Amino acid sequence: MAWVTRGMRDGRLTTRWPAQKDGYYDEFATSARLRSDAPALADDEKETAAALCPTGAIAVASQNGETSVTLDRGRCVLCGRCVRLFPDTFEWETGTTRVASEAAALISTGAEQADDLKHLRETLAGKVRNLGRSVFIRHVDAGSDGSDEWEVQALANPVYDVHRLGIFFTASPRHADILLVTGIGAAGMTEPLRRTREAMPEPVVVIAAGADAVSGGLMGRSGYTGGFGAGSIIDVDVWVPGAPASPFALMEGILTAIDRLPSRRRERRGRT
């Protein structure tokens, strides 16, 4: 009966997010980004910043005689080198990273960008309109290092408890509404991933979760395993960056995909 007394002592551990704020959600660093007030880097500093990134997330482009720096959140693996060496240019982004309907929308330029969430909701509106209160997810590891799977498993623990939101995992693709993909899309998982997608009844929402699934991460893009991410194998509807994507980022990606974030429901009621 020790668990009874421990439960009474610790109280409720389950996060109230998204209905209420969560301190860990607000403070957790989930990605690097370019500062909006960043001073211009010298050309040699731009090249240094690009060279130090292990996944090529930092890119230097030349146009009209000027060079600019961008940071691809879909490739960022949170090593923190850019933030440590160029703190005036790069900073940590807290909360969850930008969930997007296209991988290109994950690129940070330091300037204000158009909100991709409206486009995402409009794109998926037809798919999710007929989903009931319960949504079932089929998760496929397409060549991960294991870190993504720990975060996916955490969704069902007492802290996050996605069951309270009507979200459940299923072992059968024929019972699933959402396909959640982690991993680089290794050569050995190409056909199993395709078959899983084909076995799912329409409509299906496909989520690529984590840098590995978004871009291939550290392990992808080279070697015999192949792996440029899930998008190189099947069509992806929602991109969730992170290395790995945190449980909150996964929850936000899922809830965004099915349009169930409370704030958006309030916004819709306010417009009617």
Side-chain angles (χ1 to χ4, degrees), residues 7 39 49 68 78 102 108 151 161 198 200 207 242 251:
S68 60
L78 311 182
E102 298 176 359
S108 171
E151 305 304 288
D161 187 21
E198 291 171 358
M200 298 176 67
I207 300 176
M251 290 169 64

Side-chain angles (χ1 to χ4, degrees), residues 106-178:
L106 298 174
I107 297 177
S108 171
T109 63
E112 291 296 329
Q113 300 178 28
D115 186 6
D116 188 62
L117 296 181
K118 180 180 179 181
H119 174 64
L120 186 152
R121 295 199 301 273
E122 292 174 350
T123 301
L124 296 178
K127 284 190 174 185
V128 303
R129 183 177 297 117
N130 296 323
L131 293 181
R133 293 181 61 84
S134 296
V135 176
F136 290 85
I137 299 174
R138 174 68 172 118
H139 169 229
V140 173
D141 173 2
S144 171
D145 59 4
S147 61
D148 296 287
E149 283 59 52
W150 281 107
E151 305 304 288
V152 172
Q153 291 179 33
L155 292 176
N157 71 24
V159 176
Y160 300 100
D161 187 21
V162 292
H163 298 167
R164 66 191 165 89
L165 302 173
I167 300 170
F168 304 90
F169 286 88
T170 178
S172 172
R174 300 189 186 278
H175 299 159
D177 307 297
I178 294 175

Side-chain angles (χ1 to χ4, degrees), residues 60-271:
V60 178
S62 297
Q63 187 175 8
N64 299 326
E66 296 184 0
T67 58
S68 60
V69 178
T70 60
L71 189 151
D72 188 346
R73 294 183 181 93
R75 292 188 177 188
C76 179
V77 291
L78 311 182
C79 69
R81 295 177 183 177
C82 57
V83 178
R84 290 195 302 271
L85 294 180
F86 298 100
D88 293 334
T89 303
F90 301 92
E91 65 181 356
W92 289 116
E93 184 172 26
T94 57
T96 62
T97 50
R98 177 185 293 265
V99 176
S101 62
E102 298 176 359
L106 298 174
I107 297 177
S108 171
T109 63
E112 291 296 329
Q113 300 178 28
D115 186 6
D116 188 62
L117 296 181
K118 180 180 179 181
H119 174 64
L120 186 152
R121 295 199 301 273
E122 292 174 350
T123 301
L124 296 178
K127 284 190 174 185
V128 303
R129 183 177 297 117
N130 296 323
L131 293 181
R133 293 181 61 84
S134 296
V135 176
F136 290 85
I137 299 174
R138 174 68 172 118
H139 169 229
V140 173
D141 173 2
S144 171
D145 59 4
S147 61
D148 296 287
E149 283 59 52
W150 281 107
E151 305 304 288
V152 172
Q153 291 179 33
L155 292 176
N157 71 24
V159 176
Y160 300 100
D161 187 21
V162 292
H163 298 167
R164 66 191 165 89
L165 302 173
I167 300 170
F168 304 90
F169 286 88
T170 178
S172 172
R174 300 189 186 278
H175 299 159
D177 307 297
I178 294 175
L179 176 57
L180 179 64
V181 184
T182 56
I184 64 175
M189 285 302 299
T190 298
E191 193 59 27
L193 182 57
R194 285 178 178 159
R195 290 181 179 178
T196 298
R197 173 61 183 87
E198 291 171 358
M200 298 176 67
E202 298 293 342
V204 176
V205 177
V206 179
I207 300 176
D212 287 350
V214 173
S215 64
L218 278 171
M219 298 189 299
R221 304 196 299 275
S222 63
Y224 71 93
T225 60
F228 289 83
S232 64
I233 303 173
I234 58 176
D235 292 334
V236 174
D237 298 298
V238 181
W239 305 83
V240 183
S246 70
F248 277 127
L250 294 170
M251 290 169 64
E252 184 159 18
I254 296 168
L255 291 172
T256 299
I258 59 180
D259 199 15
R260 289 191 184 173
L261 285 178
S263 60
R264 290 170 194 152
R265 287 202 296 271
R266 288 194 294 271
E267 288 170 4
R268 287 199 299 272
R269 286 200 296 268
R271 290 195 297 267

Side-chain angles (χ1 to χ4, degrees), residues 1-13 158:
M1 298 295 289
W3 63 272
V4 176
T5 56
R6 183 169 63 250
M8 295 176 64
R9 181 186 69 242
D10 295 341
R12 177 171 175 170
L13 297 177

